[in-house]
Amino acid sequence: MSGKSKNNNPKSNPKGPMPIKVIKRLPIYYRYLFDLMERRVERISSGKLGEKLDLTSSQIRQDLSYLGSFGQRGYGYNVYELHDEIGKILGINRNMQMVLIGGGNLGKAIANYPKFSQRGFLIKAIFDRDLDLIGEKINGVPIYNVNKLAAYLDNFEIDIGIIATPPEAAEEMAQILINNGIKGIWNFAPVTFDIRNDVLIENVHISESLFTLSCRIKEKYEN
Amino acid sequence: MSGKSKNNNPKSNPKGPMPIKVIKRLPIYYRYLFDLMERRVERISSGKLGEKLDLTSSQIRQDLSYLGSFGQRGYGYNVYELHDEIGKILGINRNMQMVLIGGGNLGKAIANYPKFSQRGFLIKAIFDRDLDLIGEKINGVPIYNVNKLAAYLDNFEIDIGIIATPPEAAEEMAQILINNGIKGIWNFAPVTFDIRNDVLIENVHISESLFTLSCRIKEKYEN
DNA sequence: TAGATTGTTAATCGATTAACAATC
DNA sequence: TAGATTGTTAATCGATTAACAATC
């Protein structure tokens, strides 16, 4: 530990709140630091990190400075400490309770992804409209009738609602989640919610990213 | 049509190449314009569009100005024309040929998503290492042994390679795709490729977006 | 000590917003 | 015509990069 932040109160960040752009890069650092740990690499410089992740060393130092002073001049960053600290910032391994709405192909893929539960992101229940699915389980998690969703949220402390339904159903599901005190929505449905509410929404718009790629290909190969 | 761009050559853009940030917003416009078409709405102003999509009208006009002059002063934009034009820019409905690597849960979800083929994004073949999967089909598309991938790419004109493998395999798969002349990689594996090559890469880092959401929840509820 | 590398300030770059004349 | 709304230029804001003193 080389704690040297000007402000000794660990809660208050001398640089103000972390910009969303920085937050979005933290998981990338986190993943690569984990790789390094597995390879028993003990330290890394911003230069090396930038080379690997295709970012400038300057940007990495700027980003990491939001965490406080974790580096050591002339040495770099301690891989383990940095990994640990970013994990804390990201809220990894603190048992986030989640519900999944939609047990179709995508929902199945999400529910079966082992990394989430390993990292403390726990799917407690799945909801679907399809009577054939209700009563079944995915990866050990029971599927309930979606008309039980509000009641379920009322009875259990759930942090995150995952929406993996067809777009037609998404807005209604979001509304139920919000009305029942969810903290964040992880949305896979291709919709922009009308909701003006302070609930946090993180969109994964899969098809939009394919269109983006297609556009870039078209630009590159046809102009 | 109210074609009024200063430059009559439709290929050359008076504003220069479209920034990636603008490209990434086009699919959002596209999707909402499609909604409007289904509801028989014929015109939309940048103000209304911005209200719905939570963007400023100014930004929308800036973005759309990259397409040329599609709006009409005092009227707004013709929904159909704008939808059509953005579709062309995005390269939708032009039969992009794709291969999918990885027939696991996520691969299955991708291969089964009907919107892609409806929009001209066609998965021609699936590759996997798992002997139990080889010979099977997903949504009518055959699964081949991944050791046939290079040969397949040699024989067919494929534009996009989709990587939906575990992270360990991703880099090797990307290398095969690149060596065999793929134009773009749509990557779902949680890795940052080491490859410094001019192939276009579009990442969908699903778990990273969950960590981002978790971080934002933590910031909001615990500070 | 000498070399390496951080943390931070300043400079640059790019993206968003504001403003408004042009015009439908 | 009067009102609405674009397209575009200028102003602002924020993010990235450069530079370098501090220091391990």
Side-chain angles (χ1 to χ4, degrees):
Chain A
M1 271 295 205
S2 52
K4 274 265 170 94
S5 64
K6 277 171 189 168
N7 196 318
N8 281 325
N9 179 348
K11 286 274 168 121
S12 83
N13 193 141
K15 297 186 79 169
M18 201 178 295
I20 195 88
K21 288 236 172 182
V22 176
I23 293 179
K24 283 188 184 291
R25 277 190 295 267
L26 292 183
I28 299 173
Y29 300 146
Y30 187 75
R31 171 162 45 71
Y32 184 56
L33 289 165
F34 186 79
D35 282 3
L36 289 174
M37 276 169 65
E38 287 197 314
R39 290 193 268 131
R40 303 272 178 271
V41 177
E42 288 185 3
R43 63 160 158 151
I44 185 88
S45 68
S46 58
K48 287 270 168 57
L49 209 47
E51 219 172 279
K52 168 70 194 178
L53 300 176
D54 216 7
L55 300 166
T56 64
S57 65
S58 204
Q59 177 163 58
I60 287 175
R61 289 200 301 282
Q62 285 278 17
D63 286 356
L64 297 184
S65 72
Y66 281 98
L67 311 182
S69 293
F70 265 82
Q72 242 176 280
R73 289 172 147 97
Y75 173 91
Y77 300 87
N78 178 299
V79 170
Y80 174 80
E81 276 179 20
L82 193 55
H83 178 268
D84 190 54
E85 182 63 18
I86 294 178
K88 277 183 200 154
I89 299 278
L90 291 177
I92 286 171
N93 295 323
R94 39 201 347 264
N95 288 353
M96 277 282 184
Q97 315 283 310
M98 314 195 289
V99 293
L100 167 62
I101 308 172
N105 284 304
L106 183 59
K108 238 173 260 157
I110 296 167
N112 278 306
Y113 194 62
K115 287 273 170 68
F116 296 143
S117 56
Q118 282 167 23
R119 292 282 160 78
F121 294 87
L122 308 169
I123 296 176
K124 309 299 283 187
I126 301 171
F127 295 86
D128 204 291
R129 191 163 56 180
D130 183 348
L131 297 176
D132 290 345
L133 287 176
I134 295 164
E136 300 288 309
K137 290 186 174 196
I138 300 175
N139 200 17
V141 183
I143 305 177
Y144 302 115
N145 192 317
V146 73
N147 65 26
K148 303 266 175 36
L149 175 59
Y152 185 94
L153 293 171
D154 212 40
N155 279 294
F156 297 92
E157 270 256 338
I158 301 294
D159 304 291
I160 294 175
I162 310 172
I163 297 181
T165 65
E168 308 80 62
E171 182 98 25
E172 191 194 339
M173 295 302 117
Q175 202 57 67
I176 297 174
L177 291 169
I178 290 169
N179 291 346
N180 290 279
I182 212 88
K183 291 176 184 162
I185 293 177
W186 194 25
N187 173 50
F188 288 80
V191 296
T192 301
F193 292 123
D194 248 328
I195 299 145
R196 295 292 174 270
N197 183 290
D198 66 348
V199 74
L200 298 168
I201 295 176
E202 184 76 24
N203 291 301
V204 183
H205 286 333
I206 293 180
S207 36
E208 290 173 10
S209 101
L210 177 58
F211 296 160
T212 302
L213 177 58
S214 158
C215 180
R216 292 166 64 205
I217 289 176
K218 200 174 147 292
E219 277 207 336
K220 179 171 165 191
Y221 288 91
E222 294 173 30
N223 284 335
Chain B
M1 270 295 205
S2 53
K4 275 267 171 93
S5 64
K6 278 173 189 168
N7 195 319
N8 281 326
N9 179 348
K11 285 275 167 121
S12 85
N13 193 142
K15 298 185 79 168
M18 201 177 293
I20 196 88
K21 288 236 171 178
V22 176
I23 293 180
K24 283 188 184 292
R25 277 190 296 266
L26 293 183
I28 299 172
Y29 300 146
Y30 187 76
R31 172 162 46 68
Y32 185 56
L33 288 165
F34 187 78
D35 282 3
L36 290 175
M37 275 169 66
E38 286 196 314
R39 290 193 269 131
R40 304 272 178 271
V41 177
E42 287 184 5
R43 62 159 159 155
I44 185 88
S45 68
S46 58
K48 288 271 169 54
L49 209 46
E51 218 172 278
K52 169 69 193 179
L53 300 177
D54 216 6
L55 301 166
T56 64
S57 65
S58 203
Q59 177 163 57
I60 287 174
R61 290 199 301 281
Q62 284 278 17
D63 285 357
L64 297 184
S65 72
Y66 280 99
L67 312 181
S69 293
F70 265 82
Q72 242 177 278
R73 289 171 147 98
Y75 174 90
Y77 300 86
N78 177 300
V79 170
Y80 173 80
E81 276 178 20
L82 192 55
H83 178 269
D84 189 54
E85 182 63 19
I86 294 178
K88 277 183 199 155
I89 299 279
L90 292 177
I92 285 169
N93 295 323
R94 37 200 349 263
N95 288 352
M96 277 281 187
Q97 314 284 309
M98 315 195 289
V99 294
L100 167 62
I101 308 173
N105 284 304
L106 182 58
K108 238 172 260 159
I110 296 167
N112 278 307
Y113 194 62
K115 285 275 169 68
F116 297 144
S117 56
Q118 281 167 22
R119 291 283 159 80
F121 293 87
L122 308 168
I123 297 176
K124 308 299 284 187
I126 301 170
F127 295 87
D128 204 292
R129 192 163 57 181
D130 183 347
L131 297 176
D132 290 345
L133 287 176
I134 295 165
E136 299 288 308
K137 289 186 174 196
I138 301 176
N139 200 17
V141 182
I143 305 177
Y144 301 115
N145 192 316
V146 74
N147 66 24
K148 302 268 176 30
L149 174 59
Y152 185 94
L153 294 171
D154 213 40
N155 279 295
F156 297 92
E157 270 255 339
I158 301 296
D159 303 292
I160 293 174
I162 309 171
I163 297 181
T165 66
E168 309 80 63
E171 181 98 24
E172 191 193 340
M173 294 302 117
Q175 201 58 67
I176 297 175
L177 290 168
I178 291 169
N179 292 346
N180 290 279
I182 212 89
K183 290 175 185 164
I185 293 177
W186 195 25
N187 174 51
F188 288 80
V191 296
T192 302
F193 292 122
D194 248 327
I195 299 146
R196 294 295 173 267
N197 183 290
D198 66 348
V199 74
L200 298 167
I201 295 176
E202 185 75 25
N203 291 301
V204 183
H205 286 333
I206 292 180
S207 36
E208 290 173 10
S209 101
L210 177 58
F211 295 162
T212 301
L213 177 59
S214 158
C215 180
R216 292 167 62 204
I217 288 175
K218 200 174 147 290
E219 277 207 336
K220 179 171 165 191
Y221 288 91
E222 293 172 31
N223 284 335

